[in-house]
Amino acid sequence: MIDIRNVSKAFETKQVLNDLSLTIHSGTVLGLVGPNGSGKSTLLRLIAGILHADGGFLTLDEQPIYDNVNAKSKIFFVADEPFFFTGATLKDMKEFYQIFYPNFSEEAYRKALSIFSVSENSKIASMSKGMKRQVTLILALASGTEYLLLDEAFDGLDPMMRLNLKRIIADEIDSRKLTVIISSHNLRELEDICDTIGFLSDGNVVTTGSVDELKHSLHKVQFSVQANIEDIISKLDIVHKASTGSITTIVMRNSIDELKVLLEPYNPAIFEEIPLKLEEIFVYEMEAKGYGTYED
Amino acid sequence: MKTEFKYFQFLLKQNKRMIGLYSLILLATFPLLLYFLNSYAYYAFYTYALVGQCLNLVVALLASVIIPLSIFKYTSSKKSLDVYDALPLQKETMFRVNYVVGLLILLIPFIISWLIGIIYVSSVWPTVLNVVGSSSYLSEAEFFILSTQFKHLIEIIVPLALCYTMTVQVKQNTGSIVDAAIYTVIIHVIPMLAYWAFYAYCNTTILGFADEWSYEVFQLLAPLVAPFKIIFTENTSFVSLPRMGYYAVCTLILFIGSSHLYVSHKSERCEQPFTTKYFFPVVSNVATIILLILLFSAMNADVFSLMRGNIRVVYPILLSLIVYLLLDVIAHRGFKNVYRASIKYLIIASISIALLAPIEFTNGFGYVTRIPDASEIESIEIKVPYYINELHGITSGTQLTIETEENIQKIVDYHKYLLDRYAEYDYHDDLVVYDEAINDYPYDIYATLNFPITIKYHTEDKTIIREYRRVPMKWTKALLELENNEDLINAKLIPSGITKYFGNPEYRIICTYMEYSNMYNEAFVLDESKYEATFDAQTFFEAYRKDLENHKDKYSYECTEAPYMRLYLRFEAIVSDTLLESSEDPIHTAALDGRYYPIEKTYTNTIAYLDSLGIKPEKTFSEKDIDNVYLIRSTDANPSLFFYSNYPLDDFSRFDLNIEYFELTYDDILLLEPYMRSHTYYDESGYILCIDKDEYSEDFYIISSEHKDIIESIIKDKQSTNTTSNDFLESLYVNTKY
């Protein structure tokens, strides 16, 4: 279990994480979502033990992480920009990581190699961005760690490889209770693989919960009534509202039944619940925080 | 196997190409170079060996920058640093492994190359000696002894490790490889410049400051220079433990500092020019202060002596400001910070000036006027102008060692006299250059010249106080009036190179070369095989000492008799057989030195000993040996040239005087012989007799103006030729040398 308590981190004068608290249970696949600069990568680098928190504490299985060999040997961090030695091949990089990760599995390495389309002896420098990403994922999966931190892991992967990665991660979770933390802008990918999603904004976790919980945290409804809409919905927790002619669309945190009760006296001509995708939930949550809103 | 050991192995494997290339370059520049040059010519072999070792050192010193930058290059990129920082290995361990691997990559190929080189050198050395065909003394011989070379190797490794650690330290403070390389060079240069600045400032500001430029201090401050100094100057087999300890402690301190910086590094700063807050401000401020002091010193130096007033202050400030701002612009990659940097500079310059001003206005905190009490002084080493020793009849060197009470008091009094003279002027100015009033007759020929005098006091409490003065010739006369006692007699006796072996039972002093010359003939080389067995150095020195002691009642410069002859002797200190047997050293000559011994007719003891060996100058002019004889006198109104000898015209490139000369005959010389002096001093201008000998030599004798009558009677019917001293000397050299 990773326990993050009141963690703060600033770079020079810029406060990136601010009193952030989060608990990640073993076997979880956590998707970290947030706008640019919200602190996703910083949070991952803190968990990986690369950065030292200015305040608060981070523990992994009740041990501090920073500069702690025991804790760090359970974590493999895949950065958004992969690094390889000059002129190195996948085999060279495997030799490097084998030194540091005692559970590095040759079997897992071979299995991952057979799934991804990468040659073991080719120079990594000559590979495409997607293939380089595959190289890091092969190494990460073979490292045998209990925690996998993937920063923009799907970036550059083709649809087939993305699917393969999801399958492998699912297998690993089943077989050895792997905990995965993935940061991504591609919410559709996270929706498929993650069981928990955390929304980050302004250096803190805005919302966290399972995908299902999040999907049910907001409701989008389209309706049409002959009455003053503002008076009716003023009692609701509205995240977004739009009107086109007599049709009003709202996104709210309340339940559908609460809205139905309010509208019933006005006999709505149209009442339709529109299912929300995770991506839309993210956008509405961010809008609610005032991020990226655009007033015409 | 532990993770760090596996990582250690990985790093070696990862850098195998660099190790191979580095090793190859090392081998090619020393052992292979010597092998392929394949020269058994002694000097060529010595030169090649030195060149090879220097090349090896240059390669290793470059490697001491390149290797750590290569090993730690991952700290320059956030991408790579994230990967390393995420690895389950403690940062301190990671640093240590990297450090050790880099150090081993630097040192092991160097040690192997050096060992192969020195084993080859010492194996070929006997062959070189055979080709030379002599066991005679070779000054560089110690260089080839294996123990010397091992000592060099040990002494070189430690400063090399320090150079490596300096680069590691700089890398922990800088972001990019280029910044690290630039600042490594700056960090190496700053201590050297600091010492230079100290030396230059004291020399140009504190009148009389004479702390000698110490290469020992310099190499301690500049580990880059240390290996070269070791191979060039330290041909002994004793390792200097204090020095090694100093380098080792410096290395350890820098290692601990670097380790701390590595552990506490912030990956978010890794792509900035400087990864720590204090490195750049400290380096740029220190460099600027040093530059400022150097520029102040330069402006105070003679070369700028005509520049007066505020320019001496304004220009150093202006130039150092420009350098400071340039450093700031490079560090901040732009001009945004220039205003703040200017303000900072003003603070730094103010502090520097505030620190320097008291030194200048208190005359170096009293250094200028400090003279130790004569009773506290054990001995004095004094370097005198060249003509002083010539006039004393000391034929080699410009140094005198004063140990007697009387002469110590005389030197102290002389020092006080100099201070009194200087007190009449401004201590801060190099006054003597400008003021002709203090260069009056009979020294006016040197009106624009000053002569250096260095006084080094060795006091009872073992402190050494040095004084350096440049004085006009007029102020040097007191140095001629030293008591003619043991101080001067010792200086005239045993050549300094063999002094320490004289009287030591483990060494024998033998004379291996001798020649003599007199006014009649050019030099005779005596058959050394004939005299080597019979000439006893001890007996000679005793006889010569007695003769010198007989003249104690006169000043040393007073030469009252005509010269008998001039003898040149070369001595060797030979290692005794016992010592030779117990040593592997095949060289049995410990030291060699020689000198001229002027012998006057009154030196009866010396003449008697030489007579007993059959060494007697021939008193017959040789047509073969002598081309011409000239009597010269000055036609200048103030002919100060002729006040001393024995080579009064020799420095003709400095002066050009109007003279007239007369050609004399052999009979004329015989008439003048009683009045000829090889070296002496007269207040009044006299005459010079020049005997122009066949090959490469001329003898000059001085004749006092008291003998004007006899001179005039000799030259009255002779034709005079007017010329200048330069033209005259040139014609002599053309006739004989070319």
Side-chain angles (χ1 to χ4, degrees), chain B residues 331-352:
Chain B
H332 292 97
R333 310 289 197 262
F335 291 87
K336 278 188 290 184
N337 204 43
V338 164
Y339 178 71
R340 278 181 65 188
S342 305
I343 302 292
K344 280 183 192 168
Y345 173 80
L346 282 178
I347 297 166
I348 294 163
S350 307
I351 292 169
S352 307

Side-chain angles (χ1 to χ4, degrees), chain A residues 9 11-12 45 48-51 66-67 69 72-73 81-83 85-86 92 95-97 99-101, chain B residues 3 6-7 10 13-14 73 78-80 82-91 263 267-269:
Chain A
K9 180 70 189 172
F11 295 137
E12 305 289 337
R45 289 163 78 214
I50 295 166
L51 299 176
Y66 186 76
D67 217 15
V69 176
K72 285 170 84 175
S73 63
E81 287 182 85
F83 162 76
F85 299 123
T86 311
D92 296 331
E95 284 176 18
F96 177 66
Y97 284 109
I99 296 168
F100 300 100
Y101 293 97
Chain B
T3 306
K6 287 186 202 164
Y7 178 51
F10 175 84
K13 190 180 163 195
Q14 190 189 33
K73 73 178 173 195
K78 179 176 163 291
K79 203 162 76 170
S80 50
D82 274 3
V83 167
Y84 276 83
D85 283 350
L87 292 172
L89 188 67
Q90 274 195 318
K91 286 184 175 179
V263 170
S267 73
E268 64 268 23
R269 290 182 70 100

Side-chain angles (χ1 to χ4, degrees), chain B residues 75-78 81 175-176 266-272 275:
Chain B
T75 60
S76 297
S77 148
K78 179 176 163 291
L81 190 58
S176 72
K266 291 188 170 176
S267 73
E268 64 268 23
R269 290 182 70 100
C270 75
E271 289 178 356
Q272 293 177 17
T275 56

Side-chain angles (χ1 to χ4, degrees), chain A residues 55 62 92 225 250:
Chain A
E62 296 179 352
D92 296 331
V225 288
I250 60 167

Side-chain angles (χ1 to χ4, degrees), chain A residues 195-209:
Chain A
D195 48 35
T196 310
I197 298 288
F199 285 164
L200 262 72
S201 177
D202 292 337
N204 217 324
V205 178
V206 179
T207 311
T208 180

Side-chain angles (χ1 to χ4, degrees), chain B residues 50-62:
Chain B
L50 259 187
V51 167
Q53 292 192 342
C54 285
L55 288 174
N56 247 211
L57 284 177
V58 170
V59 172
L61 287 168
L62 283 174

Side-chain angles (χ1 to χ4, degrees), chain A residues 34 57 87 110 119 126 128 141 147 162 192 210 224 229 264 284:
Chain A
F57 61 89
R110 292 287 154 207
S119 162
S126 62
S128 69
L141 292 165
Y147 296 84
R162 286 208 292 270
D192 293 346
S210 70
S224 175
I229 305 288
E264 205 170 12
Y284 289 128

Side-chain angles (χ1 to χ4, degrees), chain B residues 60-70 106 163-164 167 180-181 184-185 188 224:
Chain B
L61 287 168
L62 283 174
S64 76
V65 177
I66 294 167
I67 290 169
L69 292 187
S70 170
L106 173 72
C163 290
Y164 167 85
T167 312
T184 299
V185 173
H188 272 292
L224 196 71

